[in-house]
Amino acid sequence: MDISGRTRVYAIIGSPVEHSLSPPMHNAGFAAEGIDAVYVAFRVEDVAGALAGIRALGLGGVSVTVPHKMAVMAGLDRIDEMARQVGAVNTIVAEEGELVGYNTDTAGAVAALSAHIEIRGRRFLIIGAGGAARAIGFGLWQRGADLTIANRSEEHGRALAHDLACRFVPLSQAAGVEADCIIQATSVGMYPGPDRSPVPAQLFRPGMVVMDIVYKPRRTRFLREAEGRGCRCIEGTLMLLEQAVEQFRLWTGRTPRQVMEAALRAALAR
Ligand code: ATR
């Protein structure tokens, strides 16, 4: 990598960020496209201070991760309509001196799912009602999906179902929902937590498309049980890749998906 006085800096802000897979993906993209830029990770607690720094230092763009996806919104100049509806920003683009917020989890989920299932008119069951479920729900809603939300907390689940004008069922009744596609959008099953699935395996039917947002481990218990019952499985790594590709497109207009995917696979293998 040839860093000069003209090299543009991009970054991820969050806490923790030390194990983020975004730096290898974006740096591989910059290298492949011959773009004079570098992407680094900043562990940030002070969001307002970080935004002032982004402006003062003239960063080209920033990824925003846990726990700052909502807090950054107050400090931006403009927010994309979809990110506003989702209520979270995971991407900042420096556009002519202004910091503009986007949410690429929505497009990332749609891209990952579109490769495996037609979205319009199909029945999607989303497990969870947190930030990830919200982003996925709005992406699918925009594409005309028939949505049902299942969540442990009725209050959170009903609030998201209200915003998406869709059905809610308690998590304990998820097995009774007829769906073409089930999306696991909670943190259940994530390393280093227990090897658990939030739903019983009886929920799965042969031919269903099933996606997990958890990507560590790559084969969660949820996906293993779905696969065992003949479902078509989409790993969380695909949504992770697609949301990053969409970020890269917002920053550069390019979509080097193959090199970003290779960098992601290499980083996961390490
Ligand atoms: P994120 O923004 O990353 O999606 P979040 O806002 O904390 O994270 O949301 C976490 C989601 O996982 C919620 O839907 C949460 O359910 P509650 O609304 O009932 O809290 C769900 N979740 C977390 N741990 C869970 C568990 N052990 N069983 C079932 N659902 C769980």
Side-chain angles (χ1 to χ4, degrees), residues 187-226:
S187 53
V188 176
M190 192 190 298
Y191 175 87
D195 182 33
R196 284 187 45 213
S197 167
V199 290
Q202 291 81 334
L203 180 59
F204 303 119
R205 305 263 178 279
M208 268 182 179
V209 172
V210 167
M211 181 167 89
D212 201 328
I213 63 157
V214 172
Y215 55 82
K216 199 172 180 184
R218 283 178 61 180
R219 294 310 256 192
T220 55
R221 180 161 180 180
F222 175 83
L223 288 182
R224 295 196 314 273
E225 291 184 346

Coordinates of all heavy atoms in Angstrom, one line a residue, residues 187-226:
S187 N -29.4 -11.6 18.5 CA -28.0 -12.0 18.8 C -27.9 -13.4 19.3 O -26.8 -13.8 19.7 CB -27.4 -11.0 19.8 OG -28.3 -10.9 20.9
V188 N -29.0 -14.1 19.4 CA -29.0 -15.5 19.9 C -28.1 -16.4 19.0 O -28.3 -16.4 17.8 CB -30.4 -16.1 20.0 CG1 -30.4 -17.5 20.5 CG2 -31.2 -15.2 21.0
G189 N -27.2 -17.1 19.7 CA -26.3 -18.0 18.9 C -25.0 -17.4 18.6 O -24.1 -18.1 18.0
M190 N -24.8 -16.1 18.9 CA -23.5 -15.5 18.6 C -22.4 -15.8 19.5 O -22.6 -15.9 20.7 CB -23.8 -13.9 18.6 CG -22.6 -13.1 18.0 SD -22.8 -11.4 18.3 CE -24.3 -11.0 17.6
Y191 N -21.2 -16.1 19.0 CA -20.0 -16.4 19.7 C -19.7 -15.1 20.6 O -19.9 -14.0 20.1 CB -18.9 -16.6 18.8 CG -17.5 -16.8 19.5 CD1 -17.1 -18.0 19.9 CD2 -16.7 -15.7 19.7 CE1 -15.9 -18.2 20.5 CE2 -15.5 -15.8 20.3 CZ -15.1 -17.1 20.7 OH -13.9 -17.2 21.4
P192 N -19.3 -15.3 21.9 CA -19.1 -16.5 22.6 C -20.2 -17.0 23.4 O -20.0 -17.8 24.4 CB -17.9 -16.1 23.5 CG -18.2 -14.7 23.9 CD -19.0 -14.1 22.7
G193 N -21.5 -16.6 23.1 CA -22.6 -17.0 23.8 C -22.9 -18.5 23.6 O -22.3 -19.1 22.8
P194 N -24.0 -19.0 24.2 CA -24.3 -20.5 24.1 C -24.8 -20.8 22.7 O -25.3 -19.9 21.9 CB -25.4 -20.7 25.1 CG -25.9 -19.3 25.5 CD -24.8 -18.4 25.2
D195 N -24.6 -22.0 22.3 CA -25.0 -22.6 21.0 C -26.5 -22.8 21.0 O -27.0 -23.9 21.3 CB -24.2 -23.9 20.7 CG -24.5 -24.5 19.3 OD1 -24.8 -23.7 18.4 OD2 -24.5 -25.7 19.2
R196 N -27.3 -21.7 20.8 CA -28.7 -21.8 20.9 C -29.4 -21.3 19.7 O -28.8 -20.5 18.9 CB -29.2 -21.0 22.1 CG -28.9 -21.6 23.5 CD -29.6 -20.7 24.5 NE -30.9 -20.3 24.1 CZ -31.5 -19.2 24.4 NH1 -30.9 -18.3 25.1 NH2 -32.7 -18.9 24.0
S197 N -30.7 -21.7 19.5 CA -31.5 -21.1 18.4 C -32.7 -20.5 19.2 O -33.2 -21.1 20.1 CB -32.0 -22.2 17.4 OG -33.0 -21.7 16.6
P198 N -33.3 -19.4 18.7 CA -34.4 -18.8 19.4 C -35.7 -19.5 19.0 O -36.8 -19.2 19.7 CB -34.4 -17.3 18.9 CG -33.8 -17.4 17.6 CD -32.8 -18.5 17.6
V199 N -35.7 -20.4 18.1 CA -37.0 -21.0 17.6 C -36.8 -22.6 17.6 O -35.7 -23.0 17.4 CB -37.5 -20.5 16.3 CG1 -37.9 -19.1 16.3 CG2 -36.4 -20.7 15.2
P200 N -37.9 -23.3 17.8 CA -37.8 -24.8 17.7 C -37.6 -25.2 16.2 O -38.1 -24.6 15.3 CB -39.1 -25.3 18.2 CG -40.1 -24.1 18.0 CD -39.3 -22.9 18.1
A201 N -36.9 -26.3 16.0 CA -36.6 -26.8 14.7 C -37.8 -27.2 13.9 O -37.8 -27.2 12.7 CB -35.6 -28.0 14.8
Q202 N -39.0 -27.4 14.6 CA -40.2 -27.8 13.9 C -40.7 -26.7 13.0 O -41.6 -26.9 12.2 CB -41.3 -28.1 15.0 CG -41.1 -29.4 15.8 CD -40.1 -29.1 16.9 OE1 -39.3 -28.3 16.9 NE2 -40.3 -30.0 18.0
L203 N -40.2 -25.5 13.2 CA -40.6 -24.3 12.4 C -40.2 -24.5 10.9 O -40.9 -24.0 10.0 CB -39.9 -23.1 13.0 CG -40.1 -21.7 12.4 CD1 -41.6 -21.4 12.4 CD2 -39.4 -20.7 13.2
F204 N -39.1 -25.3 10.7 CA -38.6 -25.3 9.4 C -39.3 -26.3 8.5 O -39.6 -27.4 8.9 CB -37.1 -25.7 9.5 CG -36.3 -24.7 10.3 CD1 -35.6 -25.1 11.4 CD2 -36.3 -23.3 10.0 CE1 -34.9 -24.2 12.2 CE2 -35.5 -22.4 10.7 CZ -34.9 -22.8 11.9
R205 N -39.5 -25.9 7.2 CA -40.1 -26.8 6.2 C -39.1 -26.9 5.0 O -38.5 -26.0 4.7 CB -41.4 -26.2 5.7 CG -42.4 -25.9 6.7 CD -43.5 -27.0 6.9 NE -44.4 -26.6 8.0 CZ -44.2 -26.8 9.3 NH1 -43.0 -27.3 9.7 NH2 -45.1 -26.4 10.2
P206 N -39.1 -28.1 4.4 CA -38.2 -28.2 3.2 C -38.5 -27.1 2.2 O -39.6 -26.8 1.9 CB -38.6 -29.6 2.7 CG -39.2 -30.3 3.8 CD -39.9 -29.3 4.7
G207 N -37.4 -26.6 1.6 CA -37.5 -25.6 0.6 C -37.6 -24.2 1.1 O -37.5 -23.2 0.3
M208 N -37.9 -24.0 2.4 CA -37.9 -22.6 2.9 C -36.5 -22.0 2.8 O -35.5 -22.7 2.8 CB -38.1 -22.6 4.4 CG -39.5 -22.5 4.9 SD -39.4 -22.5 6.7 CE -41.2 -22.4 7.0
V209 N -36.5 -20.6 2.6 CA -35.2 -19.9 2.6 C -35.0 -19.4 4.0 O -35.9 -18.8 4.6 CB -35.2 -18.8 1.6 CG1 -34.0 -17.9 1.7 CG2 -35.3 -19.3 0.2
V210 N -33.8 -19.6 4.5 CA -33.6 -19.2 5.9 C -32.3 -18.4 6.0 O -31.3 -18.8 5.4 CB -33.5 -20.5 6.8 CG1 -32.9 -20.2 8.1 CG2 -34.8 -21.1 6.9
M211 N -32.3 -17.3 6.7 CA -31.1 -16.5 6.8 C -30.8 -16.1 8.3 O -31.8 -15.8 9.1 CB -31.2 -15.2 6.0 CG -29.9 -14.3 6.1 SD -29.9 -12.9 4.9 CE -30.7 -11.6 5.8
D212 N -29.6 -16.1 8.7 CA -29.2 -15.7 10.1 C -28.3 -14.5 9.9 O -27.5 -14.4 9.1 CB -28.4 -16.8 10.7 CG -28.4 -16.7 12.3 OD1 -28.5 -15.6 12.8 OD2 -28.4 -17.7 12.9
I213 N -28.6 -13.5 10.8 CA -27.7 -12.3 10.7 C -26.4 -12.5 11.5 O -25.4 -11.8 11.3 CB -28.3 -11.0 11.3 CG1 -28.7 -11.2 12.8 CG2 -29.5 -10.6 10.5 CD1 -28.8 -9.8 13.5
V214 N -26.4 -13.5 12.4 CA -25.2 -13.9 13.1 C -24.2 -14.5 12.2 O -24.6 -15.4 11.4 CB -25.5 -14.8 14.3 CG1 -24.2 -15.4 15.0 CG2 -26.4 -14.2 15.3
Y215 N -22.9 -14.0 12.2 CA -21.9 -14.6 11.3 C -20.8 -15.2 12.0 O -19.8 -15.7 11.4 CB -21.5 -13.6 10.2 CG -20.9 -12.3 10.8 CD1 -19.6 -12.3 11.3 CD2 -21.7 -11.2 11.0 CE1 -19.1 -11.1 11.9 CE2 -21.2 -10.0 11.5 CZ -19.9 -10.0 12.0 OH -19.4 -8.9 12.5
K216 N -20.8 -15.2 13.3 CA -19.8 -15.9 14.1 C -20.5 -16.7 15.2 O -21.0 -16.0 16.1 CB -18.8 -14.8 14.7 CG -17.5 -15.4 15.1 CD -16.5 -14.4 15.5 CE -15.3 -15.1 16.0 NZ -14.3 -14.2 16.5
P217 N -20.6 -18.0 15.1 CA -20.0 -18.8 14.0 C -20.8 -18.7 12.7 O -21.9 -18.2 12.7 CB -20.2 -20.2 14.6 CG -21.5 -20.1 15.4 CD -21.4 -18.7 16.0
R218 N -20.1 -19.1 11.6 CA -20.8 -19.0 10.3 C -22.0 -19.9 10.3 O -23.0 -19.6 9.7 CB -19.8 -19.4 9.2 CG -18.9 -18.2 9.0 CD -17.9 -18.6 7.9 NE -18.5 -18.9 6.6 CZ -17.8 -19.2 5.5 NH1 -16.5 -19.3 5.6 NH2 -18.5 -19.4 4.4
R219 N -21.9 -21.2 10.8 CA -23.1 -22.1 10.8 C -23.6 -22.1 12.2 O -23.2 -22.8 13.1 CB -22.6 -23.5 10.5 CG -22.2 -23.7 9.0 CD -23.1 -23.1 8.0 NE -23.9 -24.1 7.3 CZ -24.7 -23.8 6.3 NH1 -24.7 -22.6 5.8 NH2 -25.4 -24.7 5.7
T220 N -24.6 -21.2 12.5 CA -25.2 -21.2 13.8 C -26.1 -22.4 14.0 O -26.4 -23.1 13.0 CB -26.1 -19.9 13.9 OG1 -27.0 -20.0 12.8 CG2 -25.3 -18.7 13.8
R221 N -26.6 -22.6 15.2 CA -27.5 -23.7 15.5 C -28.8 -23.5 14.6 O -29.3 -24.5 14.1 CB -27.8 -23.8 17.0 CG -28.8 -24.9 17.3 CD -28.7 -25.2 18.7 NE -29.6 -26.3 19.1 CZ -29.8 -26.8 20.3 NH1 -29.1 -26.3 21.3 NH2 -30.6 -27.7 20.5
F222 N -29.2 -22.3 14.6 CA -30.4 -22.0 13.8 C -30.3 -22.5 12.3 O -31.1 -23.1 11.8 CB -30.6 -20.4 13.8 CG -31.7 -19.9 13.0 CD1 -33.1 -19.9 13.4 CD2 -31.5 -19.4 11.7 CE1 -34.1 -19.4 12.6 CE2 -32.5 -18.8 10.9 CZ -33.8 -18.8 11.4
L223 N -29.1 -22.2 11.7 CA -28.9 -22.6 10.3 C -28.7 -24.1 10.2 O -29.2 -24.7 9.3 CB -27.7 -21.9 9.7 CG -27.8 -20.4 9.4 CD1 -26.6 -19.8 8.8 CD2 -29.0 -20.1 8.5
R224 N -28.0 -24.7 11.2 CA -27.8 -26.1 11.1 C -29.1 -26.9 11.2 O -29.3 -27.9 10.5 CB -26.8 -26.6 12.3 CG -25.4 -26.0 12.2 CD -24.4 -26.8 13.1 NE -24.9 -27.0 14.4 CZ -24.7 -26.2 15.4 NH1 -24.2 -25.0 15.3 NH2 -25.2 -26.5 16.6
E225 N -30.0 -26.4 12.1 CA -31.3 -27.1 12.2 C -32.1 -26.9 11.0 O -32.9 -27.8 10.6 CB -32.0 -26.6 13.5 CG -31.3 -27.1 14.8 CD -32.0 -26.7 16.1 OE1 -32.9 -25.9 16.1 OE2 -31.6 -27.3 17.1
A226 N -32.1 -25.7 10.4 CA -32.8 -25.4 9.2 C -32.3 -26.3 8.0 O -33.1 -26.9 7.3 CB -32.7 -24.0 8.8

